[in-house]
Amino acid sequence: MKTSSKPPKTAKSVAKASPPPVAVHYRVEVADLHAHLYRVTMTVASPAIQQMLRLPAWIPGSYLLREFAKHLQKLECRQGGKRVAAEQLDKATWQAHCRPELPLEVSYEVYAFDASVRTAWLDAQRGFFNGTSLCLQVPEAAAQPHTLEMLPVADAQGWQLATGLEPVRIDKAGFGLYGAADYDTLVDCPVEMGPFWSGSFEVFGVPHRFVVAGAPPSFDGEQLLADTRAICEAEMRFWHGSELESYQKESASRTKDGRQSPIPFKHYVFMLAAVHDGYGGLEHKNSTALICNRKDLPRLPRSTLAPTTHKQPEGYTTLLGLISHEYFHTWNVKRLRPAELATYDYTRENYTELLWFFEGFTSYYDDLLLRRAKRIDNAAYLKLLSKTINQVNQTPGRLVQSVAQSSFDAWVKYYRQDENTANATVSYYTKGSLVGLCLDLTLRAEGKTTLDAVMRGLWTRCAGGPMAEADLLAVLQALGGRSFAKDLERWVHSTKELPVAELLERHGVQVNREPDQVAQQLGLRVKESGGLFIQQVLRGGAAEKAGFAAGDEWLAVQTEGEPWRMQALDDLTLYTGKAKKVTALVSRDKRLMNLQLTLPAASQAVRLSVRDAAAANKWLDSSS
């Protein structure tokens, strides 16, 4: 393990290779840092007479039409130095009228000021983009080789570049020419630029690079590398344990006889942007783009302000969970993926009912593999699991929408949340993770197999490629010794409650109950900033019965005595005493209203603890 400001050795090993014949070439440069503009020059080697050019409307892994074309401007087409006619056919499609014997050059600018992992960003401190935001697609050439040329940024000191693309001819900072086998590969490799921190390590001979933009002086890069390496090793062992052991033995004895490593990628890049306020990640085949709060990064033990204490931020565990989640996706969704997404149509929604498996099961394993990698202990893991259980139990929409329906509706519901989302939908992340938990614990209780083995069985059955629910049922029956069709029908395709508590008790985990938070007891989700504002009113709760509505500002509460000003929801317990009914003064559209609120009996939240350590550890420790 080491830290370095240079690209990993994989870049140097092919630096002198000749570029392959390409169908489409992109040259990307900074047009204006302060105007947040990239300039793209695209060359189509052999255009059609009526050449179609399309910019994707969405990015795989984030199921919403984001209409990236809204940021594209100044599109011009030329052949032989002369401008040719081009017309826009729809929101993201252009048609150029070409002479097929001449290369077509297309130039345009892209505005980049979206700080998420899904699109593109550019300012004086950092550049980042996904190819789906910058690279027009030539449909006829999508399966042919593409290249991307990244020009150094003028007037930007110390800028480097990191990407999962294969380097063809690059400089020490990483700028230069990169190649991709096809359009899908090109746009699946985001690009990070800037004066970032960089570190590297190897896992089973595979080089990994970690770059961090925006890190503060207290950042402990060595700690992040050590923890990430442990996570990567645990997940490689999860997917390829026996194969890896065999490959390593043959490699050591030099009797591989041409056998390739079971790891499905040659190198991997983590790209993390540390910001004041943000969180998220997006998976790719050999890289991931991440965002975290700057304060959640691991910190050096030395501090002049606190020289005798050293404790990593609470949010650091959340960051490690995000790293674990996105890395697990390298197998589960980027390779093993829904049959409906075997090929991407970037112009429209690509529907599947399987996000509960690909996002949900990944969410089940992200924290569990932190535990197996010894980055957290049993208590920390059960605390995270308790949070997930409570999130699902506190969502009335779980009784309205199945998790399979939630997967299909992601395009119009999950990414377009509003004040009624919790009442009408359930998350395929959280409930999907509990489906994974129930399936794993059921398999373990029956003693024939585990979900770990089922995941590896699916990888083998589907050859690390497209799968359907029928494949999962087939592997479950083969390894579990019975049909699990009724289980999946009940847990995935209906709104029936999951047997979480019963299964956890059978595996040495005590399911405790304790009073819930005030917001949940009332059936509210609020924002406490400069006042107390209602964001969501949960179905069937006391607040809904009293007449609260999203958008209300809760100003005061009154029992039998004088009214009291409300600033935070916890003020309610301070001012109500033993009262069973109170009057809530709210402002709605600048009108003052008195709402009669009956205070409910305390609702219960789940808190998990270890009851039988041996039984619990058999599940938490073992992947066999």
Side-chain angles (χ1 to χ4, degrees), residues 352-389:
T352 177
E353 287 191 345
L354 284 173
L355 296 184
W356 60 269
F357 177 88
F358 290 99
E359 291 292 356
F361 281 30
T362 299
S363 296
Y364 170 56
Y365 277 112
D366 56 21
D367 290 334
L368 183 57
L369 287 166
L370 285 188
R371 165 64 182 77
R372 291 182 183 167
K374 296 180 171 56
R375 301 304 102 178
I376 57 175
D377 59 16
N378 285 355
Y381 173 72
L382 293 179
K383 183 178 180 181
L384 293 169
L385 182 56
S386 299
K387 181 179 179 181
T388 300
I389 294 170

Side-chain angles (χ1 to χ4, degrees), residues 48-361:
I49 295 176
Q50 302 295 331
Q51 182 59 65
M52 304 286 284
L53 305 166
R54 294 173 179 162
L55 193 68
W58 68 287
I59 183 169
S62 184
Y63 306 99
L64 177 68
L65 296 185
R66 299 187 182 275
E67 316 297 7
F68 301 129
K70 67 183 178 182
H71 294 308
L72 189 149
Q73 61 190 42
K74 293 186 177 180
L75 185 142
E76 292 185 358
C77 296
R78 295 181 181 275
Q79 285 188 296
K82 297 181 180 180
R83 189 165 179 174
V84 299
E87 59 182 316
Q88 187 168 359
L89 303 183
D90 60 31
K91 61 187 178 183
T93 306
W94 290 260
Q95 185 178 66
H97 305 280
C98 301
R99 295 170 57 187
E101 70 274 11
L102 290 177
L104 171 66
E105 184 178 278
V106 185
S107 63
Y108 53 92
E109 293 178 347
V110 176
Y111 176 73
F113 203 59
D114 183 331
S116 77
V117 295
R118 300 178 291 264
T119 52
W121 173 269
L122 182 64
D123 68 3
Q125 283 75 47
R126 175 179 177 250
F128 170 83
F129 67 84
N130 290 284
T132 44
S133 294
L134 260 68
C135 299
L136 287 165
Q137 182 189 46
V138 178
E140 304 91 333
Q144 300 176 38
H146 288 55
T147 52
L148 175 68
E149 182 183 3
M150 295 299 307
L151 299 188
V153 183
D155 303 322
Q157 297 295 320
W159 276 44
Q160 307 170 69
L161 185 145
T163 180
L165 285 168
E166 290 294 332
V168 175
R169 186 173 57 253
I170 63 174
D171 63 21
K172 292 181 179 180
F175 291 93
L177 187 66
Y178 291 86
D182 49 41
Y183 181 82
D184 284 349
T185 302
L186 179 87
V187 299
D188 192 43
C189 294
V191 172
E192 176 75 34
M193 300 183 294
F196 49 66
W197 176 92
S198 179
S200 62
F201 57 87
E202 286 193 0
V203 185
F204 295 114
V206 178
H208 289 63
R209 187 184 187 191
F210 209 128
V211 303
V212 182
S218 62
F219 169 55
D220 188 345
E222 292 293 342
Q223 184 66 56
L224 180 64
L225 290 180
D227 292 334
T228 302
R229 187 186 188 283
I231 292 166
C232 294
E233 182 174 344
E235 298 196 3
M236 283 189 179
R237 288 187 183 278
F238 174 91
W239 287 102
H240 307 290
S242 58
E243 295 175 276
L244 277 173
E245 298 297 335
S246 174
Y247 176 79
Q248 283 187 304
K249 289 179 181 178
E250 292 181 9
S251 179
S253 61
R254 300 191 177 184
T255 60
K256 289 189 299 181
D257 195 25
R259 181 180 176 187
Q260 293 186 345
S261 168
I263 305 302
F265 48 92
K266 297 178 180 178
H267 53 88
Y268 194 93
V269 185
F270 293 93
M271 290 168 272
L272 173 62
V275 298
H276 172 67
D277 185 19
Y279 175 81
L282 190 63
E283 67 275 3
H284 301 278
K285 271 193 171 183
N286 68 349
S287 62
T288 182
L290 309 165
I291 292 178
C292 77
N293 287 358
R294 195 171 287 118
K295 64 183 179 182
D296 292 338
L297 288 172
R299 299 177 190 176
L300 294 166
R302 301 176 300 279
S303 172
T304 56
L305 296 178
T308 60
T309 61
H310 177 61
K311 184 178 181 181
Q312 297 295 3
E314 271 191 37
Y316 182 48
T317 298
T318 303
L319 172 58
L320 293 180
L322 178 64
I323 290 169
S324 177
H325 183 99
E326 303 305 339
Y327 195 70
F328 196 85
H329 270 321
T330 309
W331 291 267
N332 194 42
V333 89
K334 293 309 299 182
R335 290 174 172 83
L336 189 67
R337 64 187 187 187
E340 299 89 343
L341 300 182
T343 57
Y344 298 124
D345 183 341
Y346 295 102
T347 67
R348 61 175 182 84
E349 296 90 343
N350 292 217
Y351 293 101
T352 177
E353 287 191 345
L354 284 173
L355 296 184
W356 60 269
F357 177 88
F358 290 99
E359 291 292 356
F361 281 30

Side-chain angles (χ1 to χ4, degrees), residues 447-499:
K448 289 186 172 62
T449 191
T450 68
L451 186 58
D452 306 36
V454 168
M455 297 297 287
R456 290 189 287 268
L458 273 169
W459 179 264
T460 300
R461 175 185 172 89
C462 300
M467 64 158 276
E469 188 173 317
D471 294 305
L472 173 60
L473 286 169
V475 175
L476 282 169
Q477 179 148 2
L479 298 182
R482 68 171 178 87
S483 171
F484 283 80
K486 290 184 178 179
D487 302 82
L488 291 193
E489 179 63 32
R490 199 163 51 243
W491 299 344
V492 172
H493 297 282
S494 83
T495 58
K496 295 178 181 178
E497 301 283 23
L498 300 175

